[in-house]
Amino acid sequence: MNWLRDLARTAVTFDRSALEPGYALRCTAGVAIPLLVAAAAGRPALGVPAAIGAFITGFTSLQGIYRTRLAAILAAALGMAATSFVGSVAGHSTTGIVLATAIAGYACATVGQIGPAAATVALNSVIAFVLFSSQPLAPVAASLDSALVFAGGLIQAALLLLAWPAERGAAERGALAAVYRDLAAYARQIADRSPVIPPITPFATARQVLADPQPFARSAELARFNRLLEDSEVIRRRLGALAALPDHARSYSAKAANAIAAHLDATADVLTGAKDDTVALDQSEFDDVLAPAGLADLAAHARDAAEAATMLATGRLPRFSLVSKVRPAPYVRDRIDWLSRDSFRFAIVLAAAMVAGRYFAADRGYWIPLTAAIVLKPDFQTTFLRGFARIGGTLVGAVIASLVMIVARGHPAIELGGIIAAAAAAYVTFNPNYALFTVAITSFVVLVLGMRGLPGTTTVDARLLDTLAGGALAMVGYLVFPSWEYKRTRALLADLLDAQRGLADAILRAYADPSSDARAIIDERRNDVWRIRTTVEASIDRSRGEPQRAHSIGTGRALRILAATQRFGLASLALETALETRQSPAPAGLEIFTDSLGTEMRELAAALREARRARLAEPPPAVLAAADNHGLRAFADATARIARLVGVQKR
């Protein structure tokens, strides 16, 4: 029933907050320009390849920030130009096109392992390959189409460049406002005595944005943006330390946490232009609580951030932005598995779909592999849950577009209007509702290929069958060559324990013996924890949509272990704050405690990875004595909670 509810939600929910009309307008203009120019020149068919190139690269422009966004568009334009040429030339031979399809499918899934931007570029290149394979051409004619596809991508790149100066630092201000908004929410959680790990995603997004600054920004603005990010990271650690205070002290910190929350919310409002000034902080509200805990500089950093935000505020952020919102992708797999099951599955399914299209639907052989390429994804949940929405949308879109073709055939103006309208609908609905987006993109494909001379008026029933065939091939292909997420979740949780052990070890050893390299080591290991935590969260989320297996770790237990690791993370944050403020000397027996903690966490990770009970020794007296220190006791308590969830066999 949960699965059916998710499916229904995917099909009928329209998320108005995800609407980006400015982005849709810019990308639609990129599609319309080559069509209208070609029509004005009396050769409307020449505008179709460029329109296809512009249409697909418009979705690629959702990736990246500034230079990275432009690079993604140019990479997609180059990739589609190359694959459209190969598809057109190889289309003369069934053997050649099937072989080329298998290679393209393998390359797409393999390159996609690098990250979301690479996956988008690769998939768009495969879609261009399939579309242009529908009409075999001689090399010279294929070269012309390839050049026009690239030109369409260049049009979108040029429109993006023209939109940048009007943004007024919207990406930076929006990302930093989200950081301070989430910090405010976290401070209120502390006041309500429900502390968890401070949020990771907004910090990761802001880091990504500031690492790719707008080329037209002034250096003074960039310096203030970075100052805001640095203040936010200190505030994050201080709030984490505040959350880790013992229970008897939290009642005294609630007033301070609420005051900080109001101030951080006001800072976010200043960044977005909703307010002109922030809420003043009364230092007397903090001294009694924060100073004894070594958190006296929390208010100072909050005030410094507010000052930087006020300097940056240049009015309300534009409501009608021609550039899409920033979509974070900071922590991704940066290595390629050349023998990945996902790569071979995608290659086999696409090749089988191309064979089916060639032998059973020769005049529309592209439709089955196109549907399969859109439906098949690396995980079960997306392939099946969103796959049904894709199939349903494709069915409706094929019917609508085919009926439009009956009316528009022989009327170039109506055909052009239909193509532009379908492109606009696809851009508008891409994020709010995937089913509607699929209707729009299917309509676009039918209309543009119909304008190139492919049948569009007599194949409604056939398109329905082809859509079902392509979707079924994708789903059956996944079940035959599955890559179940539940098999990875246990190992990823173990990797998280190892990463947290490494961070705690770096902080504890730096506390005992500070060095110039300690901060760099701590930052590197913190990034490792962030990376694996986001991966674990995504893995658990995906595994919840899969059929459960008797010998897999249940999602409920996985979530409890993940929650227990947050307590360990809070202990690390608290000690890191103590390290920065040097509020107290290193406790006696710290080195022995560090070694014992590392041994215990290493064994818990190994036991979790091997699906067995952990074999833990009784801690020596020196470790127990050191754990009387509050900061170290937080580590001991968190480790004990994790051990209970993993399972312990005394030895």
Short mmCIF file of all heavy atoms in Angstrom, two decimals, residues 489-522:
data_model
loop_
_atom_site.label_atom_id
_atom_site.label_comp_id
_atom_site.label_asym_id
_atom_site.label_seq_id
_atom_site.Cartn_x
_atom_site.Cartn_y
_atom_site.Cartn_z
N THR A 489 23.65 -1.47 1.99
CA THR A 489 23.36 -0.63 3.15
C THR A 489 24.19 -1.01 4.36
O THR A 489 24.74 -0.15 5.06
CB THR A 489 21.86 -0.71 3.50
OG1 THR A 489 21.09 -0.31 2.36
CG2 THR A 489 21.52 0.19 4.66
N ARG A 490 24.31 -2.31 4.63
CA ARG A 490 25.07 -2.76 5.79
C ARG A 490 26.54 -2.31 5.69
O ARG A 490 27.11 -1.77 6.65
CB ARG A 490 24.99 -4.28 5.92
CG ARG A 490 25.69 -4.84 7.14
CD ARG A 490 25.69 -6.36 7.11
NE ARG A 490 24.35 -6.91 7.21
CZ ARG A 490 23.73 -7.11 8.38
NH1 ARG A 490 24.32 -6.79 9.51
NH2 ARG A 490 22.52 -7.63 8.39
N ALA A 491 27.14 -2.51 4.52
CA ALA A 491 28.54 -2.12 4.34
C ALA A 491 28.71 -0.61 4.42
O ALA A 491 29.72 -0.11 4.96
CB ALA A 491 29.06 -2.63 2.99
N LEU A 492 27.74 0.13 3.91
CA LEU A 492 27.84 1.60 3.98
C LEU A 492 27.73 2.09 5.41
O LEU A 492 28.44 3.04 5.80
CB LEU A 492 26.75 2.22 3.11
CG LEU A 492 26.94 2.09 1.60
CD1 LEU A 492 25.71 2.58 0.86
CD2 LEU A 492 28.18 2.86 1.14
N LEU A 493 26.87 1.47 6.22
CA LEU A 493 26.80 1.84 7.63
C LEU A 493 28.13 1.55 8.33
O LEU A 493 28.59 2.34 9.17
CB LEU A 493 25.67 1.08 8.32
CG LEU A 493 24.25 1.62 8.11
CD1 LEU A 493 23.23 0.62 8.61
CD2 LEU A 493 24.07 2.96 8.81
N ALA A 494 28.74 0.43 7.97
CA ALA A 494 30.05 0.12 8.54
C ALA A 494 31.09 1.15 8.10
O ALA A 494 31.94 1.57 8.90
CB ALA A 494 30.48 -1.28 8.11
N ASP A 495 31.02 1.58 6.85
CA ASP A 495 31.94 2.63 6.38
C ASP A 495 31.73 3.92 7.16
O ASP A 495 32.69 4.65 7.44
CB ASP A 495 31.72 2.89 4.88
CG ASP A 495 32.18 1.73 4.01
OD1 ASP A 495 32.94 0.88 4.52
OD2 ASP A 495 31.77 1.68 2.84
N LEU A 496 30.46 4.22 7.50
CA LEU A 496 30.19 5.43 8.29
C LEU A 496 30.83 5.33 9.67
O LEU A 496 31.41 6.30 10.17
CB LEU A 496 28.68 5.64 8.41
CG LEU A 496 28.23 6.82 9.27
CD1 LEU A 496 28.80 8.13 8.76
CD2 LEU A 496 26.70 6.89 9.32
N LEU A 497 30.73 4.15 10.30
CA LEU A 497 31.38 3.97 11.61
C LEU A 497 32.88 4.15 11.48
O LEU A 497 33.52 4.78 12.35
CB LEU A 497 31.06 2.59 12.17
CG LEU A 497 29.60 2.28 12.52
CD1 LEU A 497 29.50 0.92 13.20
CD2 LEU A 497 29.01 3.36 13.41
N ASP A 498 33.47 3.61 10.43
CA ASP A 498 34.92 3.78 10.23
C ASP A 498 35.28 5.25 10.02
O ASP A 498 36.29 5.74 10.54
CB ASP A 498 35.38 2.96 9.03
CG ASP A 498 35.54 1.48 9.37
OD1 ASP A 498 35.78 1.16 10.55
OD2 ASP A 498 35.42 0.64 8.44
N ALA A 499 34.45 5.96 9.24
CA ALA A 499 34.74 7.38 8.99
C ALA A 499 34.61 8.20 10.27
O ALA A 499 35.43 9.08 10.55
CB ALA A 499 33.79 7.91 7.92
N GLN A 500 33.59 7.88 11.08
CA GLN A 500 33.44 8.60 12.35
C GLN A 500 34.58 8.28 13.31
O GLN A 500 35.04 9.16 14.05
CB GLN A 500 32.10 8.25 12.99
CG GLN A 500 30.91 8.89 12.28
CD GLN A 500 29.65 8.81 13.12
OE1 GLN A 500 29.33 7.75 13.68
NE2 GLN A 500 28.93 9.90 13.21
N ARG A 501 35.03 7.03 13.28
CA ARG A 501 36.20 6.67 14.10
C ARG A 501 37.41 7.49 13.69
O ARG A 501 38.16 8.01 14.54
CB ARG A 501 36.50 5.18 13.95
CG ARG A 501 37.81 4.73 14.58
CD ARG A 501 38.03 3.24 14.40
NE ARG A 501 37.97 2.82 13.02
CZ ARG A 501 38.99 2.95 12.15
NH1 ARG A 501 40.13 3.51 12.56
NH2 ARG A 501 38.87 2.53 10.91
N GLY A 502 37.61 7.65 12.38
CA GLY A 502 38.76 8.42 11.91
C GLY A 502 38.69 9.88 12.31
O GLY A 502 39.70 10.48 12.71
N LEU A 503 37.49 10.48 12.25
CA LEU A 503 37.34 11.87 12.65
C LEU A 503 37.55 12.03 14.15
O LEU A 503 38.27 12.95 14.59
CB LEU A 503 35.94 12.38 12.26
CG LEU A 503 35.59 13.79 12.71
CD1 LEU A 503 36.58 14.81 12.15
CD2 LEU A 503 34.15 14.15 12.31
N ALA A 504 36.95 11.16 14.94
CA ALA A 504 37.12 11.25 16.39
C ALA A 504 38.58 11.06 16.78
O ALA A 504 39.10 11.77 17.66
CB ALA A 504 36.25 10.19 17.08
N ASP A 505 39.25 10.14 16.11
CA ASP A 505 40.67 9.91 16.40
C ASP A 505 41.49 11.17 16.11
O ASP A 505 42.36 11.55 16.91
CB ASP A 505 41.18 8.74 15.55
CG ASP A 505 42.61 8.38 15.86
OD1 ASP A 505 42.85 7.65 16.85
OD2 ASP A 505 43.52 8.85 15.13
N ALA A 506 41.18 11.84 14.98
CA ALA A 506 41.93 13.05 14.64
C ALA A 506 41.69 14.16 15.66
O ALA A 506 42.63 14.87 16.07
CB ALA A 506 41.53 13.53 13.24
N ILE A 507 40.44 14.31 16.11
CA ILE A 507 40.12 15.36 17.09
C ILE A 507 40.76 15.05 18.44
O ILE A 507 41.36 15.92 19.08
CB ILE A 507 38.59 15.51 17.22
CG1 ILE A 507 37.99 16.00 15.90
CG2 ILE A 507 38.25 16.49 18.33
CD1 ILE A 507 36.47 15.99 15.88
N LEU A 508 40.62 13.79 18.88
CA LEU A 508 41.18 13.42 20.19
C LEU A 508 42.69 13.57 20.22
O LEU A 508 43.26 14.08 21.20
CB LEU A 508 40.78 11.98 20.52
CG LEU A 508 39.30 11.77 20.89
CD1 LEU A 508 38.93 10.30 20.82
CD2 LEU A 508 39.01 12.32 22.28
N ARG A 509 43.37 13.16 19.17
CA ARG A 509 44.84 13.27 19.15
C ARG A 509 45.28 14.73 19.02
O ARG A 509 46.31 15.12 19.58
CB ARG A 509 45.41 12.41 18.03
CG ARG A 509 45.15 10.92 18.24
CD ARG A 509 45.96 10.01 17.36
NE ARG A 509 45.53 8.62 17.52
CZ ARG A 509 45.87 7.84 18.56
NH1 ARG A 509 46.65 8.33 19.52
NH2 ARG A 509 45.43 6.60 18.63
N ALA A 510 44.50 15.54 18.29
CA ALA A 510 44.83 16.96 18.21
C ALA A 510 44.62 17.64 19.57
O ALA A 510 45.36 18.57 19.93
CB ALA A 510 43.97 17.64 17.15
N TYR A 511 43.62 17.18 20.32
CA TYR A 511 43.37 17.74 21.64
C TYR A 511 44.52 17.42 22.59
O TYR A 511 44.93 18.25 23.40
CB TYR A 511 42.07 17.17 22.20
CG TYR A 511 41.45 18.01 23.30
CD1 TYR A 511 40.55 19.01 23.00
CD2 TYR A 511 41.77 17.79 24.64
CE1 TYR A 511 39.97 19.79 24.00
CE2 TYR A 511 41.21 18.56 25.64
CZ TYR A 511 40.32 19.56 25.32
OH TYR A 511 39.77 20.33 26.32
N ALA A 512 45.05 16.22 22.46
CA ALA A 512 46.16 15.82 23.33
C ALA A 512 47.47 16.47 22.90
O ALA A 512 48.29 16.84 23.75
CB ALA A 512 46.31 14.30 23.31
N ASP A 513 47.65 16.64 21.59
CA ASP A 513 48.92 17.18 21.09
C ASP A 513 48.66 18.02 19.84
O ASP A 513 48.79 17.53 18.71
CB ASP A 513 49.89 16.02 20.77
CG ASP A 513 51.26 16.53 20.34
OD1 ASP A 513 51.57 17.70 20.62
OD2 ASP A 513 52.01 15.74 19.72
N PRO A 514 48.25 19.28 20.01
CA PRO A 514 47.93 20.13 18.85
C PRO A 514 49.15 20.30 17.94
O PRO A 514 50.28 20.39 18.39
CB PRO A 514 47.53 21.46 19.48
CG PRO A 514 47.19 21.14 20.90
CD PRO A 514 48.07 20.00 21.28
N SER A 515 48.88 20.33 16.64
CA SER A 515 49.94 20.55 15.66
C SER A 515 49.39 21.40 14.52
O SER A 515 48.18 21.59 14.38
CB SER A 515 50.45 19.21 15.11
OG SER A 515 49.46 18.58 14.33
N SER A 516 50.28 21.89 13.69
CA SER A 516 49.87 22.76 12.59
C SER A 516 49.06 22.00 11.54
O SER A 516 48.27 22.59 10.81
CB SER A 516 51.10 23.39 11.94
OG SER A 516 51.99 22.37 11.48
N ASP A 517 49.27 20.69 11.46
CA ASP A 517 48.56 19.89 10.46
C ASP A 517 47.24 19.32 10.96
O ASP A 517 46.48 18.72 10.20
CB ASP A 517 49.45 18.71 10.00
CG ASP A 517 50.72 19.20 9.32
OD1 ASP A 517 50.68 20.29 8.72
OD2 ASP A 517 51.73 18.47 9.39
N ALA A 518 46.96 19.50 12.27
CA ALA A 518 45.78 18.86 12.86
C ALA A 518 44.49 19.35 12.22
O ALA A 518 43.59 18.56 11.92
CB ALA A 518 45.75 19.11 14.36
N ARG A 519 44.38 20.67 12.01
CA ARG A 519 43.14 21.21 11.44
C ARG A 519 42.88 20.67 10.04
O ARG A 519 41.74 20.32 9.70
CB ARG A 519 43.22 22.74 11.43
CG ARG A 519 42.07 23.45 10.71
CD ARG A 519 40.70 23.01 11.21
NE ARG A 519 40.53 23.20 12.63
CZ ARG A 519 39.53 22.70 13.32
NH1 ARG A 519 38.63 21.96 12.71
NH2 ARG A 519 39.43 22.91 14.62
N ALA A 520 43.92 20.57 9.22
CA ALA A 520 43.74 20.05 7.86
C ALA A 520 43.28 18.59 7.89
O ALA A 520 42.41 18.18 7.11
CB ALA A 520 45.03 20.18 7.07
N ILE A 521 43.84 17.79 8.82
CA ILE A 521 43.45 16.38 8.93
C ILE A 521 42.00 16.27 9.38
O ILE A 521 41.21 15.47 8.85
CB ILE A 521 44.38 15.65 9.91
CG1 ILE A 521 45.82 15.61 9.36
CG2 ILE A 521 43.88 14.23 10.17
CD1 ILE A 521 46.83 15.07 10.33
N ILE A 522 41.61 17.11 10.37
CA ILE A 522 40.23 17.09 10.87
C ILE A 522 39.26 17.47 9.75
O ILE A 522 38.22 16.83 9.56
CB ILE A 522 40.09 18.03 12.08
CG1 ILE A 522 40.86 17.46 13.28
CG2 ILE A 522 38.62 18.24 12.43
CD1 ILE A 522 40.93 18.39 14.47
#
